[in-house]
Amino acid sequence: MMDQAVTLDGGFADPVFNAQSAFRIIMDAMARPGHVLAIPAYATPPVPLSAIAGTVACTLLDVDTPFWLDQALAANPALQAWLTFHTGARAAATPVEAHFALVGDPTSMPSLERFALGSHNYPDQSTTLILQVGSLDGGVPLTFAGPGIKGRKTIAPQGLPAGFTAQWHDNGKRFPCGVDLILTSADAIACLPRTARLVETES
Amino acid sequence: MNQHHRAANYNFAYLDEQTKRMIRRAILKAIAIPGYQVPFASREMPMPYGWGTGGVQVTASILGPDDVLKVIDQGADDTTNAVSIRKFFERVAGVETTTKTAEASIIQTRHRIPEEAMTEGQVLVYQVPIPEPLRFLEPRETETRKMHALEEYGLMHVKLYEDIARNGHIATTYAYPVKVEGRYVMDPSPIPKFDNPKMHMSEALQLFGAGREKRIYALPPHTEVVSLDFEDHPFEIQKFDKPCALCGAEQVFLDEVILDDRGNRMFVCSDTDHCESRRADGHTGAVVQETI
């Protein structure tokens, strides 16, 4: 009975307007890479998925989009049941089959090239990664340039994957293929589409 | 601005939630790959293809109750397409509508970009008839897709060159092809080439929806958009000999209006909001001055 309550509760209270409001923030964040935007926690998923990552998932996932969970998130079976109940999406067997990947612990996640990168004919057929980072500031500053960024934009997320700068550089070289990232903290998101170029920071 | 009550027997903004999610995902991919046409499962809308169903579906998927919507058709707020789409969203979404460019959070447009520079946070949604810039050069989708994948755009330059060979200048005046961030060649929809420079490094997010052709593409803000040209035939926008006959505006796009059956005509701003606000500020053009 407990498990059932965990599965059934915690979805959007107002599906139409919660999804619209969250999507506009995600769209704005994707259009302005590196900008940290506050986003309300409309969903309360089972731990260890955060409320913000759960909100992003409920906004974007449905029956057409298989998802993949990293080890940290897959550890709680109730979480997969919750996602499937509230979005209709099924779990993908491998990262490369996933339209969305939810990552609870980015520091130990598979490298970015393990996910779907799209093809040159269909670069849109790639995985979008929703990463739970500790915080969107206070980490090592990373400076980005590219479409959506006026000049340059610096962001300093904590808890990114090991060797992120090299991986992100490689991801950019695959353009138009590559993955896009939605970084989530306890109350905000920031996006890094594949076009966001890491530029050398002055030390 | 006008307040409206939403018809209760439709979901907000007409589309069902799963369709909105599918379109929203396509929009995010389009933003991440500027200029690339993302296929999407375009729906039947309560208006025929060719009447802006692509733009309507994009608008319906991003629109929220706090948005203020402006709809223009060739720059005008008061022509058939603009009036009917504005009424559609007043009815199915109950959102505020406006004719003022600066007041709008979302502007849906058929074939023009407003004269007033758009600002950060605003979204411009284009209605697109033929999203594929290479379509009239190569009818097969399999081939044009490969051409985009291989960045094989020589044919487009041949077309512009043939313009020069026949006419002595590039005669393409609307739907003038652009290159986005040095990668994808994109059809800007049939806006006059006069508007092309406004897409470059715009503060606003620009979304393009083609309903019949089932494609969505996008230009994030601050994105490089370059009109194709040649070193010896650089890209040029249309120039007009006279200012607007009603408001005296220069450096704006003008429409020709036939006045009688004796060949009299005048040229007036195509952007009706721009023209009206200038006249409200006391600017007058030649025709107005004559009649005073």
Side-chain angles (χ1 to χ4, degrees):
Chain A
M1 280 308 283
M2 270 306 284
D3 278 359
Q4 205 171 31
V6 166
T7 303
L8 301 184
D9 290 345
F12 284 167
D14 189 349
V16 173
F17 296 107
N18 290 167
Q20 189 278 333
S21 151
F23 172 72
R24 277 293 278 278
I25 296 165
I26 300 167
M27 179 176 86
D28 207 18
M30 194 62 87
R32 292 176 171 78
H35 283 255
V36 177
L37 301 181
I39 181 168
Y42 291 122
T44 43
V47 289
L49 189 67
S50 74
I52 299 302
T55 299
V56 173
C58 285
T59 303
L60 298 175
L61 269 61
D62 62 23
V63 67
D64 294 329
T65 58
F67 61 85
W68 179 85
L69 302 178
D70 76 334
Q71 262 183 345
L73 297 180
N76 181 3
L79 175 54
Q80 186 170 315
W82 184 87
L83 279 168
T84 298
F85 178 77
H86 288 283
T87 69
R90 300 277 162 191
T94 60
V96 77
E97 289 167 79
H99 290 209
F100 290 92
L102 290 111
V103 178
D105 178 16
T107 57
S108 61
M109 67 182 280
S111 65
L112 298 180
E113 67 194 21
R114 295 267 314 278
F115 297 90
L117 303 170
S119 63
H120 280 86
N121 276 353
Y122 291 96
D124 55 305
Q125 291 176 358
S126 57
T127 307
T128 301
L129 283 77
I130 302 166
L131 306 188
Q132 283 180 208
V133 296
S135 168
L136 288 166
D137 54 41
V140 179
L142 301 167
T143 300
F144 292 91
I149 300 171
K150 189 176 188 175
R152 295 183 172 195
K153 182 70 193 166
T154 300
I155 179 177
Q158 292 178 12
L160 285 176
F164 175 76
T165 46
Q167 284 194 50
W168 192 250
H169 195 66
D170 289 346
N171 190 60
K173 278 198 281 194
R174 294 185 193 107
F175 188 84
C177 301
V179 297
D180 309 311
L181 309 182
I182 302 175
L183 309 179
T184 64
S185 71
D187 55 4
I189 60 165
C191 290
L192 292 176
R194 62 198 79 180
T195 49
R197 279 191 317 278
L198 256 174
V199 290
E200 300 308 319
T201 39
E202 297 156 50
S203 49
Chain B
M1 280 184 269
N2 306 305
Q3 299 267 356
H4 300 280
H5 289 287
R6 172 161 70 95
N9 45 347
Y10 291 103
N11 188 30
F12 179 80
Y14 184 80
L15 290 176
D16 61 280
E17 290 303 301
Q18 195 180 343
T19 297
K20 286 184 194 169
R21 261 193 307 275
M22 173 269 296
I23 292 171
R24 287 167 181 168
R25 290 193 297 261
I27 289 171
L28 293 185
K29 286 284 164 65
I31 292 170
I33 318 167
Y36 167 74
Q37 303 160 50
V38 182
F40 81 110
S42 180
R43 301 294 195 241
E44 292 262 356
M45 297 301 285
M47 60 192 78
Y49 283 144
W51 286 79
T53 55
V56 166
Q57 289 179 79
V58 169
T59 299
S61 301
I62 65 173
L63 192 69
D66 300 331
D67 275 308
V68 179
L69 179 69
K70 171 181 163 83
V71 186
I72 53 173
D73 170 7
Q74 304 261 15
D77 294 275
D78 54 3
T79 49
T80 311
N81 199 220
V83 170
S84 57
I85 291 173
R86 192 162 58 238
K87 277 193 175 158
F88 174 75
F89 282 114
E90 285 169 358
R91 180 158 172 213
V92 299
V95 290
E96 279 181 41
T97 53
T98 183
T99 57
K100 303 233 174 303
T101 299
E103 280 179 3
S105 56
I106 298 173
I107 300 179
Q108 182 171 328
T109 176
R110 174 178 176 272
H111 310 354
R112 264 321 300 279
I113 299 176
E115 301 291 356
E116 192 177 337
M118 292 187 64
T119 53
E120 184 178 322
Q122 286 186 307
V123 184
L124 185 59
V125 179
Y126 295 73
Q127 301 171 199
V128 183
I130 309 284
E132 178 50 74
L134 304 166
R135 182 59 70 233
F136 291 109
L137 308 169
E138 169 53 65
R140 290 167 296 181
E141 169 66 17
T142 48
E143 293 305 302
T144 52
R145 183 161 292 280
K146 211 178 288 171
M147 289 159 81
H148 283 294
L150 299 173
E151 244 180 303
E152 179 48 72
Y153 295 128
L155 204 54
M156 186 54 89
H157 275 101
V158 171
K159 183 201 174 258
L160 296 176
Y161 171 74
E162 283 179 347
D163 259 14
I164 296 169
R166 285 203 189 107
N167 308 303
H169 61 99
I170 298 176
T172 305
T173 55
Y174 66 95
Y176 191 104
V178 295
K179 197 166 207 183
V180 180
E181 286 283 326
R183 178 57 181 82
Y184 282 100
V185 166
M186 186 192 96
D187 183 311
S189 86
I191 58 171
K193 67 178 176 180
F194 181 90
D195 284 342
N196 273 23
K198 295 179 195 162
M199 289 186 290
H200 177 65
M201 295 294 169
S202 169
E203 292 275 343
L205 169 63
Q206 302 172 80
L207 302 175
F208 298 76
R212 183 190 57 220
E213 303 291 320
K214 301 172 174 57
R215 296 289 184 274
I216 286 171
Y217 51 107
L219 296 170
H222 310 295
T223 295
E224 185 190 270
V225 182
V226 179
S227 303
L228 299 183
D229 63 357
F230 298 97
E231 268 177 32
D232 53 344
H233 285 274
F235 172 77
E236 282 178 345
I237 60 172
Q238 288 101 334
K239 292 191 180 68
F240 298 91
D241 300 334
K242 287 182 186 169
C244 169
L246 296 177
C247 78
E250 295 176 21
Q251 266 102 50
V252 295
F253 192 75
L254 302 180
D255 282 340
E256 182 179 6
V257 178
I258 306 288
L259 295 174
D260 54 25
D261 58 358
R262 300 199 180 90
N264 285 317
R265 63 196 62 199
M266 66 173 179
F267 287 86
V268 299
C269 286
S270 129
D271 184 335
T272 51
D273 169 56
H274 186 72
C275 199
E276 279 163 20
S277 44
R278 276 180 56 85
R279 275 181 282 159
D281 291 345
H283 297 277
T284 51
V287 167
V288 180
Q289 282 156 3
E290 275 169 28
T291 52
I292 288 171

